[in-house]
Amino acid sequence: MGGRQVVEEPRLEIRRPSSPWWRRRDFLVVFLPLLAAVLTGVTLLAAAGKVLLPFERITTLEAKMASKRDFFEDPEVQRLLLKHRIRVHITSSGSREVAIRDITSYDFVFPSGQPAGDLIVAERQAKGRDPKVFRPFVSPIVLPTYRAYAETLEDAGIATAQSGSGPGRPLYYVLDMEKFLKAIAQKRRWNEIGIRDHGISNANRIVVQSSDVCDSNSAGTYLGLVAFTWHGGADEVPDTDEEADGRGRAIKPLMDQGLPGTDVFRTYISPEGDRIAPVVVAYEHQYLNYQAQYQAESGKLDTDRVLLYPSAQFVTQPQFIALNEEGDRLGELITHDPELRQRAMELGFRILDPAGEVAGDQLTTFLEERNIPVPSMADDNTRSSMPRLRYLERMISIVGGCPAVDIPDVEPPAAKPPSAGKAAGVPE
């Protein structure tokens, strides 16, 4: 008898329906925070009236300038300009190059000195164009050096420390330009005037190093200052080709640049700067901005790097020259926009008001809040205007060995030079 066959009942398995991909846990863990961030950003942009800003056209302006690129290369300035849908592309060039080369492909130029600016304006006016000129800020020429060198000059009676310009170790000194140039003319060496008393041995001759005088406004301004002082400090500038040529030949031995074609301020703040360039030509804003950054990063001042203020100061007036409507718009912004003016001051520039005066005590307050001593100058400092560009160019050609450029004797437009007012008492 055969056994019975057992038949198993079929098993039924009930499966839950699978969740859509957008409801799966691993997706939600990643997606929801991103969605929240996007919604928050859109809400903030909408509240500020800038929800469409990422989709608006950015205008890139072409510019040509030298040291004033420090302003436009600052990340905060770039951020502020993007709020106005503006980006600036810079072609670096010395102010002399800006003045004597073709600038038709640019939206604006920003020569660091008035002679170059006057020439550009005059040439465009002769062609029936009237470019708009803005003067948003100024920065005096200074001679950065190191404490041992400044104290050596002080011991030799060539420099004087400014009282109250540092906590026991002054940051600022007034340099007697006449005595200083005599020491250079006599080929005095640092060891001869006592540098070893301050822990350094330097058998090199005393020399001021600058960027290439054939390109740089700061070097050209220093040349004018040397010529003015060496001529006896008379309140006059050369007004003939012969006078300019004579002064150029007279000061050529005093203008051993040392580091032509380089950014001497970057060399100065480098670790090996005191061995390469003990005294350099720069703008005040470069030094003040350096100290502000150093203070922010380290909580203290760099008391080893100090400033020499020449006893004679020249009026150096940077000019923003707009060459079209877009350049005009940017000039208005950097001159009048409160945020851009504030940032220029934070970068060490002395901002000007509409009357051409240094605007109040903003820079003084800014420095004091960061425990940075405020530089001051005596009220009786000698001041003079730079020579017209034709005569300055002839002196530059002789001193720097540049190819001579025939520049017409342009009568500069009447303009009131900026006054330092109360802002840190810095000379014009």
Side-chain angles (χ1 to χ4, degrees), residues 306-327:
V306 301
L307 275 192
L308 301 172
Y309 281 90
S311 55
Q313 278 284 337
F314 272 17
V315 176
T316 56
Q317 193 170 45
Q319 299 187 55
F320 180 107
I321 302 175
L323 304 178
N324 54 34
E325 290 184 1
E326 294 291 352

Side-chain angles (χ1 to χ4, degrees), residues 25-190:
R25 190 173 187 278
D26 55 348
F27 172 77
L28 294 177
V29 167
V30 174
F31 176 73
L32 288 180
L34 292 176
L35 178 62
V38 170
L39 292 176
T40 301
V42 171
T43 302
L44 292 174
L45 285 172
K50 295 180 173 14
V51 70
L52 296 179
L53 183 60
F55 307 101
E56 294 181 357
R57 183 175 69 89
I58 302 295
T59 300
T60 298
L61 301 188
E62 295 294 332
K64 197 172 188 180
M65 68 189 78
S67 65
K68 301 308 170 278
R69 69 181 183 272
D70 293 348
F71 176 74
F72 289 101
E73 290 178 346
D74 174 64
E76 178 64 12
V77 169
Q78 293 174 350
R79 185 190 70 81
L80 293 173
L81 289 178
L82 281 176
K83 289 174 58 178
H84 300 278
R85 303 176 301 283
I86 292 175
R87 182 181 291 114
V88 176
H89 177 260
I90 299 171
T91 298
S92 294
S93 175
S95 293
R96 177 176 178 267
E97 287 289 310
V98 174
I100 65 179
R101 304 302 180 196
D102 180 53
I103 56 173
T104 54
S105 62
Y106 297 96
D107 298 293
F108 72 93
V109 293
F110 206 166
S112 297
Q114 188 168 348
D118 290 344
L119 178 64
I120 294 169
V121 171
E123 287 186 336
R124 293 186 74 82
Q125 287 176 340
K127 296 176 181 178
R129 303 168 187 169
D130 193 11
K132 196 163 184 180
V133 179
F134 301 88
R135 298 176 177 87
F137 43 67
V138 295
S139 187
I141 286 290
V142 291
L143 303 181
T145 188
Y146 304 86
R147 178 163 305 282
Y149 290 89
E151 291 179 350
T152 298
L153 292 171
E154 184 180 27
D155 292 345
I158 298 174
T160 305
Q162 289 187 9
S163 60
S165 66
R169 307 187 77 194
L171 286 186
Y172 313 121
Y173 294 76
V174 177
L175 180 69
D176 187 315
M177 280 300 295
E178 185 175 354
K179 292 181 179 179
F180 185 61
L181 293 178
K182 285 182 178 178
I184 294 175
Q186 294 167 358
K187 300 182 179 180
R188 302 287 300 278
R189 300 180 181 273
W190 289 108

Side-chain angles (χ1 to χ4, degrees), residues 117-427:
D118 290 344
L119 178 64
I120 294 169
V121 171
E123 287 186 336
R124 293 186 74 82
Q125 287 176 340
K127 296 176 181 178
R129 303 168 187 169
D130 193 11
K132 196 163 184 180
V133 179
F134 301 88
R135 298 176 177 87
F137 43 67
V138 295
S139 187
I141 286 290
V142 291
L143 303 181
T145 188
Y146 304 86
R147 178 163 305 282
Y149 290 89
E151 291 179 350
T152 298
L153 292 171
E154 184 180 27
D155 292 345
I158 298 174
T160 305
Q162 289 187 9
S163 60
S165 66
R169 307 187 77 194
L171 286 186
Y172 313 121
Y173 294 76
V174 177
L175 180 69
D176 187 315
M177 280 300 295
E178 185 175 354
K179 292 181 179 179
F180 185 61
L181 293 178
K182 285 182 178 178
I184 294 175
Q186 294 167 358
K187 300 182 179 180
R188 302 287 300 278
R189 300 180 181 273
W190 289 108
N191 281 346
E192 292 179 30
I193 66 170
I195 191 74
R196 282 177 289 206
D197 294 340
H198 298 275
I200 293 176
S201 178
N202 189 338
N204 292 325
R205 287 172 48 196
I206 299 172
V207 63
V208 175
Q209 295 168 334
S210 73
S211 301
D212 191 344
V213 73
C214 294
D215 296 325
S216 165
N217 180 78
S218 60
T221 301
Y222 179 70
L223 179 152
L225 177 61
V226 170
F228 172 79
T229 305
W230 202 242
H231 185 64
D235 190 16
E236 62 182 57
V237 292
D239 54 12
T240 68
D241 291 349
E242 291 73 19
E243 286 184 5
D245 292 350
R247 295 191 194 184
R249 289 189 292 268
I251 66 172
K252 184 177 175 63
L254 307 175
M255 293 287 295
D256 182 3
Q257 297 175 77
L259 296 173
T262 65
D263 185 338
V264 294
F265 190 78
R266 291 183 187 275
T267 302
Y268 166 72
I269 62 176
S270 68
E272 65 277 4
D274 59 342
R275 297 187 297 275
I276 300 173
V279 184
V280 302
V281 178
Y283 289 101
E284 181 193 52
H285 78 268
Q286 295 174 296
Y287 179 86
L288 295 181
N289 184 42
Y290 165 76
Q291 287 288 8
Q293 290 182 350
Y294 192 92
Q295 176 79 291
E297 294 171 1
S298 68
K300 60 183 180 181
L301 295 171
D302 182 353
T303 56
D304 188 50
R305 288 177 170 85
V306 301
L307 275 192
L308 301 172
Y309 281 90
S311 55
Q313 278 284 337
F314 272 17
V315 176
T316 56
Q317 193 170 45
Q319 299 187 55
F320 180 107
I321 302 175
L323 304 178
N324 54 34
E325 290 184 1
E326 294 291 352
D328 192 356
R329 176 173 170 247
L330 178 57
E332 292 284 354
L333 275 174
I334 67 171
T335 304
H336 301 293
D337 181 81
E339 290 182 304
L340 287 167
R341 285 169 60 81
Q342 171 73 15
R343 186 55 185 164
M345 181 271 296
E346 292 172 354
L347 293 173
F349 292 101
R350 303 189 175 279
I351 56 176
L352 302 180
D353 62 22
E357 303 287 340
V358 171
D361 294 331
Q362 294 98 324
L363 184 56
T364 295
T365 302
F366 174 78
L367 295 175
E368 289 176 344
E369 288 175 348
R370 284 151 183 80
N371 296 316
I372 300 173
V374 179
S376 63
M377 293 291 285
D379 294 334
D380 61 349
N381 278 345
T382 304
R383 299 179 177 93
S384 180
S385 296
M386 287 287 287
R388 294 182 191 173
L389 189 60
R390 174 184 179 87
Y391 307 122
L392 180 61
E393 170 65 25
R394 293 185 73 92
M395 288 192 288
I396 287 173
S397 177
I398 290 171
V399 171
C402 323
V405 178
D406 187 19
I407 294 177
D409 184 10
V410 178
E411 181 69 33
K416 183 180 179 181
S419 170
K422 296 180 181 179
V426 171

